[in-house]
Amino acid sequence: MRLGSLNDQIQTIINDFGILLPEATLIVGCFVMIILQLIYEDKGTVVKTVFSLFLLGLIALTVSTATAPGSYFDGLLVQSQVTGLAKLFFIVITGFVLLFPKGENLLKRGEYHFLIFMILLGAMLLIEVNNLLLFYLSLELVSITSYLLINFNFDRKGFEAGIKYLLFGAMASGLMLYGLSLIYGLTGTLDLAGLGAFIESGAYAGAWLTVALLLFFVGIWFKLSLAPMHIWTPDAYEAGPTPVVAYISVVPKVAVLIFLAQFVLTTQLEILDFDWKMIFSGLAIVSMLVGNLSALSQTNAKRMMAYSSIAHSGMLIIGIIVGNDFGIQALLLYAIVYAFMNIGAFYLIELFERQGFVTIKDLAGVGRKSPWMGVFAVVIMIALAGLPPTGGFTAKLVMFSSLWEYYQTEGHTYLIWLFGLGLLNTAIALFYYLKIPYYLWVHPSDAEKEFKFSPKDGTIVAIVVFLVLLSFFKADLLLNVLNQFNFAL
């Protein structure tokens, strides 16, 4: 009887491997990339890039066939309709990053492709794990890879930023692991469903479980760059390669948010004595204030975008605080629009840096020399600020609408504070986002500055700008797509 049961379990596990076809394809592709690196060494940029893009296309095809809502591997992995959407989103963002203008220096290295794909693999696992230990391992895969990629400029500044990133990451990782050990010791399980059943049963009402959960959340707050766990962000963004910074500012963050949504929906945290939503609301407010106020004084565009990402993390966490279908829908909409705004901004920053425009003041008069690129920059900046007619306005409108609706239902005082201060921070953000358009078009130039961009660069930025505008003028298209998905993670 036991042998038959064991055979059934083994057969079930073998059958469940089909849902990991995208991840398996990615792993095989990484091994092929290692072989290409051994053959071409630091040459063959076109071959490696074409193979990477082909691999992404192949993974996208497997996602459509391998994604099926349900529980797999005895509950270790759980897939929902959101899982397939998120994986396709990660693949598209990865493709854009591989086309960044600095690719000639990075894409010739097979290790760069390999590490980018490791972040993609970790992100794809993060959104479907249903076990806290597997979540920790997936998060560490993303984190350690990010530490390495930040150093890919191979200069002293990058090494210093990488070490700072590593040290703060190690501290957050240690606290998270300690929290996980406490959770297991107190509940006897690391599965989300088991943890939810334990909390719902009321078997343990002491403060230790609250402490354990807070320690676990520290690692999540670190990855999301929420204040005060944001210390690593400005230096890492400024010193790291721009494509890498653009990538880690979007993909890992969205993956962790999707897992966090699954976590809070499954574990019934509302039953515990402490109000976790009030804590998250406080972190959101502090993050928005720290990010926006710090960004006001920045002269380096990448450092300004670092503080901007901290503020946007505070906005994104609102979807988790709301926690219902509308809140998760607002979270995904904001994440998608923010990703393309961020990719477009960092792409332009990379173009400017390649031609010697390092600080924001260096951009004085460039918009008049290159009107098309100046217009593109204006659109992306006002989108990040949340102004119409861009998708940034649509995303913030939906996010604040979900928060207001939730406040009317629950009536907690801290929600109205979050709503009011969130609107105030949107106004503050205008002062630094519009700084770049001001220098591009209004500020007089002291010297003749020519700005050149290739047809490829112009096409990619135009596509991003088109998507940002489309998400405003045809917002119903994206909303209708999101409405078709079941947000029960």
Side-chain angles (χ1 to χ4, degrees), residues 28 31 41 112 220 234 243 331 346 370 389 413 468 486:
V28 172
F31 282 116
E41 295 183 350
Y112 174 74
I220 293 178
L331 168 64
F346 278 111
S370 180
T413 304
V468 170
N486 180 13

Side-chain angles (χ1 to χ4, degrees), residues 307-323:
Y307 286 109
S308 163
S309 73
I310 297 168
H312 280 287
S313 293
M315 282 294 302
L316 284 163
I317 209 70
I318 292 176
I320 302 296
I321 295 169
V322 175

Side-chain angles (χ1 to χ4, degrees), residues 295-296 298-305 308 344-346 348-349 352 357-368 373-382 384 429-443:
L296 291 173
Q298 302 305 313
T299 59
N300 181 280
K302 287 172 68 176
R303 201 170 181 87
M304 184 194 79
M305 289 298 297
S308 163
F346 278 111
L348 286 172
I349 290 172
F352 292 141
F357 305 105
V358 179
T359 66
I360 296 176
K361 292 182 178 180
D362 292 337
L363 299 175
V366 173
R368 296 191 295 271
M373 199 56 72
V375 170
F376 291 158
V378 170
V379 172
I380 290 173
M381 288 298 116
I382 65 173
L384 285 166
L430 292 175
F431 290 94
Y432 64 87
Y433 280 129
L434 296 183
K435 187 187 300 184
I436 290 180
Y438 168 76
Y439 276 98
L440 284 172
W441 290 97
V442 179
H443 198 279

Side-chain angles (χ1 to χ4, degrees), residues 407-427:
Y407 166 71
Q408 290 182 315
T409 302
E410 299 296 325
H412 297 303
T413 304
Y414 61 81
L415 294 176
I416 196 65
W417 277 100
L418 178 59
F419 184 87
L421 291 175
L423 291 176
L424 175 63
N425 274 276
T426 299

